[in-house]
Amino acid sequence: MVDKAKRHGIKLRPHFKTHQSHDIGRLFRKEGVTAITVSSVKMAQYFAEDGWDEITIAFPVNLRKIESLNELASKVTLNILVSSQETPTLLASGLKHPVNVYIEIDCGSNRSGFRYDDIETIQKTKESIIESELLNFIGYYSHAGHTYDARSKDEINVIANKAFNDFTSIKKIDGDDVEFCWGDTPSCSVVDTFEGVSALSPGNFVFYDVMQTQIGSCEFKDIAVALCCPVVAKKNNELEVCVHGGAIHFSKDSIVKDGQAIFGIPVANDTWEPLTDAYVRAISQEHGIVKLTTHDHKRYEVGDVMYILPIHSCLTAEAIGSYLTLEGRKVEHMSKKSRD
Amino acid sequence: MVDKAKRHGIKLRPHFKTHQSHDIGRLFRKEGVTAITVSSVKMAQYFAEDGWDEITIAFPVNLRKIESLNELASKVTLNILVSSQETPTLLASGLKHPVNVYIEIDCGSNRSGFRYDDIETIQKTKESIIESELLNFIGYYSHAGHTYDARSKDEINVIANKAFNDFTSIKKIDGDDVEFCWGDTPSCSVVDTFEGVSALSPGNFVFYDVMQTQIGSCEFKDIAVALCCPVVAKKNNELEVCVHGGAIHFSKDSIVKDGQAIFGIPVANDTWEPLTDAYVRAISQEHGIVKLTTHDHKRYEVGDVMYILPIHSCLTAEAIGSYLTLEGRKVEHMSKKSRD
C-alpha cells in the first residue's frame, strides 16, 4: 500500500483501527509513513504516546471528549471529522488549541457524513468552520463502505468509480487546493486510478480477512492473522469439533457461503492453506463449532490447536486484544488483554 | 430465579458469564446462592478470588489449561464438563487434585456434548471417568440452546419440554442418584415444571436483552443494561443520528424485526421505555446508525447521550467490560476495561 500511494503521488494515512498496535505501527514508520488515521480519541492518545504526531480521528467528532481533544491538540497535529452542520460552533466553544478539520462526505455508504450532492449544507458547514479561529479547514474525507457489497474486483471498481466521481464532484466548491482523503480497503486494494484524491486511509489491508477474499480485495494467502483455538471436544456422530473460539473471540460477523452463514475458515497450522470444505458452522459466546471433512476430522484431536481465519479481522483483533507471532513473540495491542 | 429454584426444590447454579462481575455476583450471594457456573477457566479463577468455592466451568474442559485447572481444584470444589469420549483419560493423566465431572448432553442444541440417545458412548465415557481416581462423576449437564429459536412462551415450552424429556431419559442409565443440571434462560424463565432436573444454571436472565424479548423470555421492562452512546452526528436529510456505539461495543448480534436486521433499540433516558419505531439500523466498527421518528429526531442533538438496549447483553457486557449504575457508581467487570 505504501508503494501504491508513492506511485500515485498520494499521501498515505493508514488507518490503525485494525491492528491497534504500537509494534505494528512501527512497521509502517519504517516504510516512511508519518501520518496515521484512527477511529477514536482513545486510539489517538495511544498512538500519540508512541510518537505519532499527525493523527486523523476518522469518526464524527465526539463533543463529550473535548478535554481529551484539547490535550491531544496541544501535543500533535490533530485532524478531526465534522459530520453535522451544528458541530463546528459547538466544538469551537470548547476548543483551546487549533485542530484541522475535514468535512465528512457520504458517497453512497449511507453511514455518516453529508451527502456529496448536498452542496448547500456542505458550504454552510464550511463557512462555520472557517469562521472559527481554532478550526482549520483542510478538506474532505470519505469512506466508501459500500464497496463491502462487492463480490469481485470488477464490482469493487464499479462501486468505487462512481463514489470517486461523486466525491470529487465537490471540487466545484473548492477547486484543487484542499485535501480529498479516501479510505476503504477494497477500493484502495483494487482500484488503480485515484484521479482527484490526494490521500488514502485504508486500514483492514494490514491483515485482510475472509470477508475481504469474498469482496475481491485479496486472496487467502494475503490474510495475516488467524485465531489460534484449542480443540476442546470432538463429536463421534458428526464431522465436527468444538473449539474454544466463540463470539467473544471472533466477534460475530459472518459471510454466506454456499447458502450457509459461516463464522471463520480453519487453515492448516503449517501452511495457512484453508482446509478443504471446512468452516465454522456456528458460534455462541465461547463455543465455535467447526465442520470438517472425514480426513481432517481424523487428524484433529482434543487438546490440539486449530488456526482459524477470521471473517472480520478488525473485530477479531479488537476482541482478542493481543497477538503472538508464529515465532512466539508477543505483539502489543492497545487493550493489552490477556485472554483465556 | 432464586425464588423459582427454591419453590421447585432445585439447586440454583447461576451462570456468571453474562455479568462477569464480583459486584453483581455478591448480589446473588446475598440471596443465598452458594454455587456458580462460568464459561472459562479464567472466569473461574476470577470468581474464586472473590470467595466462590463451588464453581462449574460449563464448557468442554480445555486440556491445555491443566495447570490452571489443578490450581483451581486445589482451592475450590471444581465441576467440569466432559464432552468427548477421549477426554477423561487425557485429563486424568495431568490432574493432581480431584474434580467433579458432569457428562455434557446434547438435547437438540447441536452444539457440544453427547447426543442424549447415544447411550453406548455415554456409558463408556462414564466408565472411563469412574476408572480415574481423581475424576468424581456427579451427573449430567445440558444447555438447551435451541430454545433461542422460539418466538413465544408457547414455543419455548414446546422446545424445552421435548429437551427435558430427552435429557431425563438418561435416567434409564443412572436412576435418580446423580445430578441433572439444566441451563438456558428461555426455559428457566418460562417453564414451570422441572420434573427430573436437580439444578438450574441460567445466566442471561440477570440482564435479559432485546433478543430475549423476541424469544418470549421477558418483557422490555425486565432489561437491566443499556449501552450509553454519545450522539456524534445528526443527519439533515434522513431521520437518523450516528452514535459512538458500534460492533466493538455491542458485538454484532442482530434480530430481524419487520423484515429488517436491527442491532439495538433506543430507549428514553429516564424511563427506559423503547422509543417509538426507533432502532439501530446498522453498525460498523465504531459507528451505530439509529433510525428515529420525526419527533425523536428533533429531540436528540449532537453531544447528547442515547441509551440503547443491546440485542445480546452477554456479548455487549463482555465488549464494554465495565458498568456504571444510574447513580454513577462503577460496577466491576472481569476485564476491567476503560472504554473510550
Side-chain angles (χ1 to χ4, degrees):
Chain A
M1 202 61 82
V2 171
D3 291 344
K4 191 170 191 173
K6 273 189 198 148
R7 205 166 65 237
H8 286 89
I10 298 177
K11 182 161 187 169
L12 187 63
R13 300 177 175 279
H15 208 312
F16 280 11
K17 76 184 172 110
T18 303
H19 59 76
Q20 298 183 44
S21 168
H22 282 178
D23 294 331
I24 299 174
R26 288 174 197 165
L27 302 178
F28 282 89
R29 193 180 275 147
K30 275 192 196 159
E31 297 289 331
V33 169
T34 58
I36 65 166
T37 305
V38 299
S39 55
S40 71
V41 177
K42 192 177 172 190
M43 224 182 284
Q45 290 166 325
Y46 171 75
F47 285 108
E49 282 165 20
D50 201 42
W52 294 96
D53 57 10
E54 186 180 348
I55 303 177
T56 302
I57 303 176
F59 185 79
V61 61
N62 184 350
L63 297 172
R64 302 180 75 88
K65 290 279 171 186
I66 193 74
E67 281 182 36
S68 306
L69 290 168
N70 276 323
E71 204 201 321
L72 270 167
S74 74
K75 292 182 196 160
V76 304
T77 301
L78 185 64
N79 306 331
I80 59 162
L81 262 57
V82 160
S83 315
S84 281
Q85 201 184 332
E86 57 273 51
T87 299
T89 314
L90 293 167
L91 184 63
S93 74
L95 264 191
K96 292 177 183 153
H97 299 276
V99 297
N100 294 330
V101 180
Y102 289 108
I103 291 181
E104 188 187 10
I105 302 297
D106 179 353
C107 298
S109 72
N110 197 16
R111 190 170 73 176
S112 53
F114 302 95
R115 273 184 57 106
Y116 69 93
D117 55 0
D118 187 4
I119 298 295
E120 193 188 327
T121 315
I122 294 171
Q123 274 180 319
K124 279 187 191 156
T125 307
K126 186 182 166 188
E127 281 158 21
S128 69
I129 292 169
I130 289 168
E131 269 170 26
S132 164
E133 209 175 317
L134 294 174
L135 300 179
N136 176 35
F137 177 71
I138 55 165
Y140 300 95
Y141 187 100
S142 189
H143 172 78
H146 53 314
T147 55
Y148 281 67
D149 299 336
R151 289 295 174 267
S152 68
K153 287 192 193 323
D154 286 347
E155 284 183 31
I156 294 172
N157 271 305
V158 169
I159 296 169
N161 287 340
K162 162 95 171 73
F164 270 128
N165 289 338
D166 292 343
F167 186 35
T168 53
S169 71
I170 295 170
K171 297 213 167 192
K172 64 193 162 203
I173 313 179
D174 250 325
D176 279 326
D177 55 344
V178 297
E179 193 175 305
F180 280 74
C181 185
W182 177 269
D184 69 281
T185 280
S187 73
C188 293
S189 299
V190 167
V191 172
D192 215 21
T193 54
F194 296 98
E195 194 65 34
V197 165
S198 42
L200 296 179
S201 64
N204 176 281
F205 74 95
V206 69
F207 294 148
Y208 284 121
D209 53 32
V210 172
M211 193 182 284
Q212 295 289 348
T213 67
Q214 201 187 43
I215 292 168
S217 315
C218 70
E219 308 293 325
F220 273 105
K221 67 178 172 48
D222 302 318
I223 301 175
V225 276
L227 193 62
C228 180
C229 301
V231 176
V232 292
K234 189 170 173 177
K235 297 196 182 178
N236 62 344
N237 47 10
E238 303 259 11
L239 294 173
E240 293 183 349
V241 295
C242 175
V243 298
H244 192 198
I248 65 167
H249 309 98
F250 283 109
S251 183
K252 215 164 175 178
D253 256 328
S254 60
I255 60 164
V256 175
K257 208 184 156 193
D258 305 331
Q260 158 97 35
I262 70 170
F263 299 88
I265 292 189
V267 292
N269 290 12
D270 48 357
T271 62
W272 286 40
E273 290 280 340
L275 302 182
T276 310
D277 296 335
Y279 56 92
V280 181
R281 171 180 66 74
I283 53 178
S284 52
Q285 183 163 345
E286 308 262 359
H287 299 69
I289 307 301
V290 185
K291 202 91 193 167
L292 298 169
T293 59
T294 311
H295 174 75
D296 288 320
H297 192 256
K298 276 189 193 140
R299 287 173 51 222
Y300 283 91
E301 296 300 336
V302 171
D304 287 348
V305 291
M306 179 179 276
Y307 290 10
I308 301 179
L309 302 179
I311 299 300
H312 190 168
S313 59
C314 307
L315 300 187
T316 304
E318 157 80 26
I320 295 296
S322 65
Y323 309 94
L324 274 185
T325 67
L326 290 175
E327 293 77 33
R329 191 169 55 82
K330 213 168 164 174
V331 173
E332 185 182 283
H333 184 283
M334 181 173 87
S335 65
K336 294 172 189 158
K337 271 190 231 173
S338 142
R339 266 285 178 203
D340 193 22
Chain B
M1 202 61 80
V2 171
D3 290 344
K4 191 169 189 173
K6 272 188 200 149
R7 205 167 64 238
H8 287 88
I10 298 178
K11 182 160 188 169
L12 186 64
R13 301 178 174 278
H15 208 313
F16 280 12
K17 77 185 173 108
T18 302
H19 60 77
Q20 297 182 43
S21 169
H22 283 178
D23 294 331
I24 299 174
R26 288 172 198 165
L27 302 178
F28 282 88
R29 194 179 276 148
K30 274 190 198 160
E31 297 290 331
V33 169
T34 58
I36 65 167
T37 305
V38 298
S39 56
S40 70
V41 177
K42 193 178 172 186
M43 222 182 281
Q45 290 166 327
Y46 171 74
F47 284 108
E49 282 165 20
D50 201 42
W52 293 97
D53 57 10
E54 186 179 349
I55 303 177
T56 301
I57 303 177
F59 185 78
V61 61
N62 183 351
L63 296 174
R64 302 180 74 88
K65 290 279 173 188
I66 193 76
E67 280 180 38
S68 307
L69 290 168
N70 274 323
E71 205 200 320
L72 271 166
S74 74
K75 292 180 197 161
V76 304
T77 301
L78 185 64
N79 307 331
I80 59 163
L81 261 56
V82 160
S83 314
S84 282
Q85 200 185 330
E86 57 272 52
T87 298
T89 314
L90 293 166
L91 183 64
S93 74
L95 265 192
K96 291 176 187 154
H97 299 275
V99 297
N100 294 330
V101 180
Y102 289 107
I103 291 180
E104 189 188 9
I105 301 297
D106 179 352
C107 299
S109 72
N110 198 15
R111 190 170 74 175
S112 53
F114 302 94
R115 273 184 56 108
Y116 69 93
D117 55 1
D118 186 4
I119 297 295
E120 194 188 327
T121 314
I122 294 171
Q123 272 179 319
K124 278 187 193 157
T125 307
K126 187 182 164 189
E127 281 159 23
S128 68
I129 292 169
I130 291 170
E131 269 169 28
S132 163
E133 208 174 319
L134 295 174
L135 300 179
N136 176 34
F137 177 72
I138 55 167
Y140 300 95
Y141 187 99
S142 190
H143 173 77
H146 54 312
T147 54
Y148 281 67
D149 299 336
R151 288 296 174 266
S152 68
K153 288 194 195 321
D154 286 346
E155 285 183 30
I156 294 172
N157 271 306
V158 169
I159 297 170
N161 286 340
K162 162 95 172 74
F164 270 129
N165 288 339
D166 292 342
F167 186 35
T168 52
S169 71
I170 294 171
K171 298 213 169 190
K172 64 191 158 200
I173 311 179
D174 251 323
D176 279 326
D177 53 345
V178 297
E179 194 175 305
F180 280 74
C181 185
W182 177 268
D184 70 280
T185 281
S187 74
C188 292
S189 299
V190 168
V191 172
D192 214 21
T193 53
F194 297 98
E195 193 65 35
V197 166
S198 41
L200 296 179
S201 64
N204 175 282
F205 74 96
V206 68
F207 293 149
Y208 284 122
D209 52 33
V210 173
M211 192 182 285
Q212 295 290 347
T213 67
Q214 203 187 42
I215 293 168
S217 316
C218 69
E219 308 293 325
F220 274 106
K221 67 176 173 49
D222 301 318
I223 301 176
V225 279
L227 193 62
C228 179
C229 300
V231 176
V232 292
K234 189 170 173 176
K235 297 194 183 182
N236 63 345
N237 48 10
E238 304 261 10
L239 294 173
E240 292 182 351
V241 296
C242 175
V243 298
H244 192 197
I248 65 167
H249 310 97
F250 283 110
S251 182
K252 215 165 176 177
D253 255 327
S254 60
I255 60 163
V256 175
K257 206 184 159 193
D258 304 331
Q260 157 97 36
I262 71 168
F263 299 89
I265 292 190
V267 291
N269 291 11
D270 48 357
T271 62
W272 286 41
E273 290 281 337
L275 302 181
T276 310
D277 295 335
Y279 56 92
V280 182
R281 169 179 67 74
I283 53 176
S284 50
Q285 184 164 345
E286 307 263 358
H287 299 70
I289 307 302
V290 184
K291 202 92 195 166
L292 297 169
T293 59
T294 310
H295 174 76
D296 287 319
H297 192 256
K298 275 189 192 138
R299 289 173 51 222
Y300 282 92
E301 297 299 338
V302 172
D304 286 349
V305 292
M306 179 179 276
Y307 290 8
I308 301 180
L309 302 180
I311 300 298
H312 190 168
S313 60
C314 307
L315 300 187
T316 303
E318 156 79 26
I320 295 297
S322 64
Y323 310 93
L324 274 185
T325 67
L326 290 174
E327 293 76 33
R329 190 169 56 82
K330 215 170 161 173
V331 174
E332 184 181 285
H333 184 281
M334 182 173 85
S335 64
K336 294 170 188 158
K337 273 190 229 173
S338 142
R339 268 284 179 202
D340 194 24

